Amino acid sequence: MGKGHKGASSRKRGGHGALANKQAADLYAKSLNRTIRQLKTAGHTTARALSEELARRQVPTARGGDWHPTTVKRLVTRLR
């Protein structure tokens, strides 16, 4: 199959891999905490409603993709 590169790619990113990804995701979730609270107060209480409103407001996801109810659920879980 050739040379493995799993370890090499995490070393290229500074050797932190999963921990760095988790910290970045936690930081991004915290940056949206106020927005999520405001949306919930305004009546957007379900994951679907939140995802639709975040998309409507063009709030970027952490990776620049689309908002989905699952994405919102994971974000809200990080905020707990």
Side-chain angles (χ1 to χ4, degrees), residues 58-69:
Q58 298 181 340
V59 175
T61 64
R63 294 184 176 184
D66 295 329
W67 284 105
H68 299 281

Side-chain angles (χ1 to χ4, degrees), residues 6-45:
K6 269 175 109 171
S9 64
S10 69
R11 281 193 298 271
K12 288 179 187 175
R13 288 178 292 185
H16 303 292
L19 177 60
N21 290 342
K22 181 187 181 313
Q23 290 171 336
D26 289 344
L27 187 61
Y28 188 72
K30 286 179 185 177
S31 77
L32 289 178
N33 189 32
R34 186 176 185 185
T35 301
I36 296 296
R37 283 186 294 139
Q38 289 171 343
L39 292 176
K40 285 182 174 183
T41 300
H44 305 282
T45 57

Side-chain angles (χ1 to χ4, degrees), residues 37-78:
R37 283 186 294 139
Q38 289 171 343
L39 292 176
K40 285 182 174 183
T41 300
H44 305 282
T45 57
T46 66
R48 179 171 301 284
L50 287 167
S51 66
E52 289 171 357
E53 187 61 17
L54 289 165
R56 189 188 72 74
R57 293 182 180 204
Q58 298 181 340
V59 175
T61 64
R63 294 184 176 184
D66 295 329
W67 284 105
H68 299 281
T70 301
T71 312
V72 171
K73 286 178 187 177
R74 290 177 180 156
L75 178 93
V76 170
T77 297
R78 283 187 181 283

